[in-house]
Amino acid sequence: MKNDTILLGHGSGGKLSHDLIDSIFLKYFDNDYLRQQTDSAILDTGGKKIAYTTDSFVVDPIFFPGGNIGKLAIAGTVNDLAVSGATPKYMSCGFIIEEGFSLKDLELIAKTMADEARKAGVMLVTGDTKVVDRGKCDKVYINTSGIGVIGEEYLGISTAKNIEEGDKIIINGSIGDHGMAVMAARNDLNIRADIKSDCACLNTMISEVLNTGCKVKFMRDATRGGIGTVLSELAKSKNVGIHINETELPLDDGVKGMCELLGFDPLYVANEGKVVFVVSQDDADKVLTVLKKNEHGGNSSVIGEISSSHPGSSWLETVVGGKRIIDMLSGQQLPRIC
Amino acid sequence: MKNDTILLGHGSGGKLSHDLIDSIFLKYFDNDYLRQQTDSAILDTGGKKIAYTTDSFVVDPIFFPGGNIGKLAIAGTVNDLAVSGATPKYMSCGFIIEEGFSLKDLELIAKTMADEARKAGVMLVTGDTKVVDRGKCDKVYINTSGIGVIGEEYLGISTAKNIEEGDKIIINGSIGDHGMAVMAARNDLNIRADIKSDCACLNTMISEVLNTGCKVKFMRDATRGGIGTVLSELAKSKNVGIHINETELPLDDGVKGMCELLGFDPLYVANEGKVVFVVSQDDADKVLTVLKKNEHGGNSSVIGEISSSHPGSSWLETVVGGKRIIDMLSGQQLPRIC
């Protein structure tokens, strides 16, 4: 390619668009579906039911310790499918790019996406690129959607159909890492902490758990809004009580310090590699053992349980023995965190 | 809702996000899948192969004669599925909204999307909303992806598997309407012409054609890059010659005048409701008859044919009897046209 930055013509649908597709997107994402460059990818889902999801990513900055917007765009959608009990298979990808954006950075992002997709076993099969004039977006925004196949035995997971009193709540590691890593990376904040985003595709870890045959009643990746929002939504939607022990909540010292300094509640800080599991109490130990063996689950912990008291509410039993309600996040904690 | 503009908190994933979903998105898009507000929608595709596509929409201005960004976002994806021979079924929708955007305008866009989706017989089953700070996007950008089901008999259409010499090329009406309508609507251009975008879902028209049993060899909606780019891509990818008669090209007088005034070639101006069909020569008349009966096909015309001369090239026989090559659009004609 002759230029080293994105031109408006790269979004024209004409020759420059083709050059961009060939020199970057096909170079990294190449597969039989994408190569055909048809209006739609034609896919076989083997007659199974499918799971379908979408997310847009507008994180600022686009590169941060532990990842970049491309890694986030793959992991976010892969995880949304995986927590539904589905095996992620196919993804779409839509780029909105600011005129003047560095082609080198775009290539780095595409390479990361390809690497993550390969590790997660998904294929990027259809895509789109739009270019907007300078100042009309911030470097690059990415939308991904994804399709997974789902077995009949997992259909109840996404709606938490079978949760009941006594079920245990498990998280696969420390909370708030992603949010604080992005905050630390923001130029306008003079903080440098050794905090890395937990951004990762969790489908392999989740399938290891499901393959044990353990009764997984519910899973949700705790992204924007943090685990606080997940727990509060679950309690409200299923009209159950949720009891959380603060002492069991894995929290990195750096993240804790930064949250205290900046006045954030780690319960509401975004994660990009954490899943809240609800599992039958008989299976909790087994799930914990499986999680701890996975690279993304070393600090897994049983953090609480489903209770019959205070239905519709989620409660935190604090370190000092008090109790406080975990409500839904009101207002905005951290804009453009994902 | 207490506020009349979008706040950063509407993208937080917390309470304000829920309010926005309830008061606008669920209000208009409501269906069994979306209502569950799970991470993924779980769908049944009846064991058929699926078609899968995505597009982002960044049109400026967001409201224009004949449509708005929401109508475009539904029609664009519906049409990409339909021209692949698929029946559009499910869609995802990702909004990126600028802080301060009018909730009234957002509601109008959502209502338009719901109306168009209903007419096209598709359901919006999963979505996402991000809010970026003021000045980091331009009002609202929308990504949609879509899933359709496709019968075995139509699998060759998207790759133009069976096109051959003598096949006729048909378009369902005048070209360049969308591009010029958007140009006319742009505030910074002091032109007011009575031109309306052709933006429309064409899946019903296309299924009427397919249901005749006629041999449809290829279809593509001529959006960005215009019919020129479609024809040039087709000639190159299948290594066939394409011969177009300029006299048969439907062109609205207002669009023609505006193109001449501004120096645009209507062959490369965007459409949002036009499909290039390649059909067996024996079936051309029948297809034309069916198209002309449809509300989106009144001005349908056989504009040319597949030829064995000049393989890999697309040629225009001009009104004055000359010949010129139809190459791929180089550079950018009209940024942010869709």
Side-chain angles (χ1 to χ4, degrees):
Chain A
M1 315 241 310
K2 283 175 223 144
N3 313 289
D4 54 3
T5 59
I6 285 286
L7 307 175
L8 282 171
H10 284 121
S12 66
K15 186 153 180 348
L16 279 170
S17 296
H18 279 261
D19 289 350
L20 184 67
I21 290 168
D22 289 343
S23 65
I24 295 191
F25 298 132
L26 269 183
K27 177 176 171 190
Y28 291 104
F29 302 160
D30 189 39
N31 60 58
D32 288 345
Y33 302 103
L34 201 61
R35 205 177 306 131
Q36 302 198 9
Q37 299 191 41
T38 48
D39 286 294
S40 310
I42 309 295
L43 310 167
D44 196 331
T45 58
K48 284 192 175 179
K49 282 204 172 67
I50 60 172
Y52 182 31
T53 190
T54 192
D55 255 322
S56 298
F57 299 86
V58 297
V59 66
D60 171 37
I62 54 173
F63 295 97
F64 47 81
N68 63 42
I69 190 171
K71 185 174 181 184
L72 213 53
I74 300 293
T77 288
V78 161
N79 293 345
D80 276 347
L81 294 173
V83 297
S84 304
T87 304
K89 298 284 278 182
Y90 306 111
M91 284 181 68
S92 74
C93 176
F95 288 91
I96 298 176
I97 314 177
E98 187 182 10
E99 179 191 9
F101 183 59
S102 150
L103 277 172
K104 217 178 107 197
D105 283 351
L106 184 63
E107 183 160 2
L108 194 55
I109 289 166
K111 187 180 178 309
T112 307
M113 293 177 79
D115 290 345
E116 283 301 305
R118 199 174 305 114
K119 277 192 272 176
V122 296
M123 271 189 282
L124 286 155
V125 295
T126 186
D128 176 59
T129 306
K130 293 290 187 304
V131 179
V132 295
D133 23 332
R134 231 175 261 266
K136 297 300 182 188
C137 89
D138 192 3
K139 297 182 186 75
V140 59
Y141 298 150
I142 303 177
N143 174 283
T144 49
S145 77
I147 295 176
V149 293
I150 182 165
E152 295 289 327
E153 65 272 37
Y154 302 132
L155 289 181
I157 290 178
S158 60
T159 54
K161 197 178 162 195
N162 300 314
I163 68 167
E164 59 189 338
E165 191 183 345
D167 286 344
K168 296 294 181 187
I169 298 163
I170 298 178
I171 191 152
N172 62 307
S174 58
I175 60 170
D177 298 7
H178 174 75
M180 287 301 110
V182 170
M183 278 303 272
R186 278 200 187 151
N187 291 329
D188 51 356
L189 207 71
N190 243 332
I191 290 175
R192 286 289 175 275
D194 186 24
I195 301 171
K196 266 178 68 177
S197 167
D198 57 348
C199 174
C201 289
L202 302 175
N203 56 322
T204 305
M205 182 187 80
I206 288 171
S207 74
E208 284 166 8
V209 169
L210 294 178
N211 287 341
T212 58
C214 287
K215 285 195 210 90
V216 175
K217 312 278 190 88
F218 177 74
M219 297 183 275
R220 180 156 291 171
D221 53 332
T223 55
R224 265 188 304 181
I227 69 161
T229 301
V230 171
L231 296 170
S232 161
E233 283 179 357
L234 181 63
K236 279 189 187 24
S237 69
K238 306 305 291 184
N239 200 32
V240 294
I242 293 181
H243 190 104
I244 301 293
N245 297 312
E246 192 175 19
T247 48
E248 302 300 331
L249 267 179
L251 186 57
D252 174 88
D253 282 343
V255 172
K256 191 179 171 195
M258 197 167 156
C259 281
E260 282 172 358
L261 196 66
L262 296 174
F264 289 118
D265 182 341
L267 280 177
Y268 297 100
V269 176
N271 312 277
E272 288 293 340
K274 294 294 149 23
V275 173
V276 174
F277 296 85
V278 179
V279 304
S280 139
Q281 56 181 320
D282 297 338
D283 290 335
D285 286 345
K286 203 166 163 189
V287 170
L288 204 63
T289 307
V290 173
L291 284 175
K292 287 194 170 198
K293 281 184 191 154
N294 186 283
E295 59 173 323
H296 303 300
N299 290 317
S300 295
S301 172
V302 178
I303 59 171
E305 64 180 22
I306 304 296
S307 138
S308 60
S309 68
H310 308 294
S313 296
S314 190
W315 290 83
L316 185 75
E317 189 161 323
T318 63
V319 178
V320 293
K323 271 192 181 183
R324 74 174 177 89
I325 202 163
I326 303 173
D327 210 344
M328 219 178 279
L329 177 63
S330 64
Q332 171 66 293
Q333 261 214 337
L334 292 167
R336 297 182 57 193
I337 208 66
C338 62
Chain B
M1 316 240 307
K2 283 176 221 143
N3 313 288
D4 54 4
T5 60
I6 285 286
L7 308 175
L8 282 171
H10 285 120
S12 66
K15 191 161 175 341
L16 279 170
S17 296
H18 279 261
D19 289 349
L20 183 67
I21 290 168
D22 289 343
S23 66
I24 294 191
F25 299 133
L26 269 184
K27 176 176 171 189
Y28 291 103
F29 303 160
D30 189 39
N31 59 57
D32 287 347
Y33 301 103
L34 201 62
R35 203 176 307 129
Q36 300 197 10
Q37 299 192 41
T38 48
D39 287 292
S40 311
I42 309 296
L43 311 167
D44 197 330
T45 59
K48 284 194 175 177
K49 283 204 172 64
I50 60 171
Y52 182 31
T53 191
T54 192
D55 256 321
S56 298
F57 298 87
V58 297
V59 66
D60 170 38
I62 53 173
F63 295 96
F64 48 82
N68 64 42
I69 190 171
K71 186 174 181 186
L72 214 51
I74 299 294
T77 288
V78 161
N79 293 345
D80 276 347
L81 294 172
V83 297
S84 304
T87 304
K89 297 284 278 183
Y90 305 111
M91 285 182 67
S92 74
C93 176
F95 288 92
I96 298 176
I97 313 176
E98 187 181 10
E99 179 191 9
F101 183 60
S102 148
L103 277 172
K104 216 177 108 197
D105 284 350
L106 184 64
E107 183 159 2
L108 195 53
I109 290 166
K111 186 180 179 311
T112 308
M113 294 178 78
D115 290 345
E116 283 301 305
R118 199 174 305 113
K119 277 192 271 176
V122 295
M123 271 190 281
L124 286 155
V125 294
T126 184
D128 176 59
T129 306
K130 293 290 187 303
V131 179
V132 295
D133 22 333
R134 229 175 263 266
K136 297 299 182 188
C137 88
D138 192 5
K139 298 181 186 76
V140 60
Y141 297 151
I142 303 178
N143 174 283
T144 49
S145 77
I147 294 175
V149 294
I150 182 165
E152 294 289 327
E153 65 273 36
Y154 302 131
L155 289 182
I157 290 178
S158 60
T159 55
K161 197 178 163 196
N162 300 315
I163 69 167
E164 59 189 338
E165 192 184 343
D167 285 345
K168 297 294 182 187
I169 299 164
I170 298 177
I171 191 151
N172 62 307
S174 59
I175 60 170
D177 298 7
H178 175 74
M180 287 303 109
V182 171
M183 277 302 272
R186 277 200 189 148
N187 289 330
D188 50 357
L189 206 72
N190 242 333
I191 292 176
R192 286 288 175 275
D194 186 25
I195 301 171
K196 265 178 70 178
S197 167
D198 57 347
C199 174
C201 289
L202 302 176
N203 56 322
T204 304
M205 182 187 79
I206 288 171
S207 74
E208 284 167 6
V209 170
L210 294 178
N211 288 341
T212 58
C214 288
K215 286 195 208 87
V216 175
K217 312 279 190 86
F218 177 74
M219 296 183 276
R220 181 157 289 171
D221 52 333
T223 55
R224 266 189 304 181
I227 70 160
T229 301
V230 171
L231 297 170
S232 162
E233 283 179 359
L234 181 63
K236 278 189 187 28
S237 69
K238 306 308 289 185
N239 199 34
V240 294
I242 292 181
H243 190 104
I244 301 292
N245 297 313
E246 193 175 18
T247 47
E248 302 301 330
L249 267 179
L251 185 57
D252 174 88
D253 282 342
V255 172
K256 192 180 171 194
M258 197 168 157
C259 280
E260 282 172 0
L261 196 68
L262 297 173
F264 289 117
D265 182 342
L267 281 177
Y268 298 101
V269 175
N271 312 279
E272 289 293 340
K274 293 294 147 27
V275 173
V276 174
F277 295 83
V278 180
V279 304
S280 140
Q281 57 180 318
D282 297 338
D283 290 335
D285 285 346
K286 202 165 163 189
V287 169
L288 203 63
T289 307
V290 174
L291 283 176
K292 287 193 171 198
K293 280 185 193 152
N294 186 282
E295 59 174 322
H296 303 300
N299 290 316
S300 295
S301 171
V302 177
I303 58 170
E305 63 180 24
I306 304 296
S307 137
S308 60
S309 68
H310 307 294
S313 296
S314 190
W315 291 83
L316 185 74
E317 189 164 323
T318 63
V319 177
V320 293
K323 269 192 180 183
R324 72 175 177 90
I325 201 163
I326 303 173
D327 210 345
M328 218 178 276
L329 177 63
S330 63
Q332 171 65 295
Q333 263 213 338
L334 292 168
R336 297 182 58 193
I337 209 65
C338 63

